Amino acid sequence: MQLVFATNNTNKVKEVQALIPEHITLLSLKDIGCLEDIPETQDTIEGNAIQKANYVKAHYGYDCFADDTGLEVESLNGAPGVYSARYAGEQKDATDNMNKLLAELDNKNNRKAQFKTVIALHVNNELQTFTGICEGEITTSKTGAEGFGYDPIFKPQGYAETFAEMPLSIKNSIGHRGKAVSQLVAFLNKK
Ligand code: IMP
């Protein structure tokens, strides 16, 4: 079975590839000749995931899935949430985003946060969504060099390290995207 993963983020491809069974061949957007930016203009994480999967299905005809992720911080009423990528501006820079979040939380005691991933899957003309959540807290400084995005300032519940200090296998086993992908794989295996 061939399935397109509708992302240009090579870190995400690496994470998801490690979780997908061998009988599913993962194609990238480059593999199908999709070089344009896929619109992400919805105001919910779920809406953006569905928008991206619908776009690839409508324009390229492939069965596909897309993910959208946001970091929801309790004391900021769920921000940056769906706006996580451009939290500190349109340049979508991870360091700028982390610095802004650390500054916003400077005087806050409650540092609870969660990552939320929604995967939207288009297969056999059916649309399904899967949600994965990982709870944790925002640290007071950046540590670690693994992963991407907000990983250096997110410490999952029950762990002393940030995501950026962990091997990918551990991040995948407890993380938001890993949880959503497990549901996706279970669904595909039942088909
Ligand atoms: P998107 O799903 O690519 O739209 O991601 C939204 C924002 O969340 C971007 O700034 C990503 O870098 C960040 N992000 C997505 N997944 C992760 C993750 O697993 N760890 C840390 N940051 C992430």
Side-chain angles (χ1 to χ4, degrees):
M1 172 184 200
Q2 285 192 330
L3 211 47
V4 174
F5 182 15
T7 183
N8 286 310
N9 183 330
T10 49
N11 287 292
K12 286 186 179 178
V13 176
K14 205 165 104 187
E15 282 191 17
V16 170
Q17 194 103 56
L19 296 164
I20 292 277
E22 273 176 14
H23 70 270
I24 299 172
T25 306
L26 217 55
L27 300 178
S28 67
L29 289 174
K30 217 166 113 194
D31 290 333
I32 62 165
C34 173
L35 303 173
E36 68 263 29
D37 267 343
I38 299 180
E40 274 183 75
T41 53
Q42 304 302 301
D43 58 6
T44 61
I45 294 169
E46 186 179 40
N48 273 340
I50 292 172
Q51 184 179 25
K52 288 187 272 188
N54 280 345
Y55 184 93
V56 170
K57 183 70 186 174
H59 290 79
Y60 294 86
Y62 283 88
D63 280 346
C64 63
F65 65 94
D67 92 315
D68 199 60
T69 297
L71 177 59
E72 300 176 329
V73 179
E74 194 172 273
S75 64
L76 301 178
N77 300 316
V82 69
Y83 304 109
S84 295
R86 59 200 70 206
Y87 188 43
E90 285 303 319
Q91 73 280 16
K92 296 187 182 173
D93 182 78
T95 304
D96 293 348
N97 287 338
M98 286 188 284
N99 287 343
K100 176 167 176 183
L101 187 53
L102 290 176
E104 294 284 343
L105 292 180
D106 207 20
N107 54 358
K108 300 251 192 319
N109 292 325
N110 178 3
R111 304 185 73 90
K112 278 194 210 159
Q114 64 178 29
F115 272 113
K116 179 175 167 186
T117 290
V118 176
I119 290 179
L121 169 74
H122 248 299
V123 72
N124 303 337
N125 297 316
E126 251 183 77
L127 181 71
Q128 297 281 334
T129 59
F130 309 95
T131 302
I133 285 177
C134 180
E135 293 180 359
E137 62 179 41
I138 304 300
T139 53
T140 51
S141 61
K142 304 180 206 94
T143 39
E146 302 296 319
F148 67 102
Y150 294 88
D151 281 348
I153 60 167
F154 183 83
K155 198 163 66 163
Q157 205 168 65
Y159 287 79
E161 307 85 26
T162 66
F163 268 159
E165 294 176 287
M166 292 177 178
L168 176 58
S169 54
I170 302 201
K171 182 184 175 192
N172 261 346
S173 68
I174 60 168
H176 43 293
R177 192 167 300 100
K179 287 178 182 168
V181 173
S182 300
Q183 295 169 44
L184 166 77
V185 169
F187 177 84
L188 291 171
N189 282 339
K190 269 197 274 160
K191 284 244 148 205

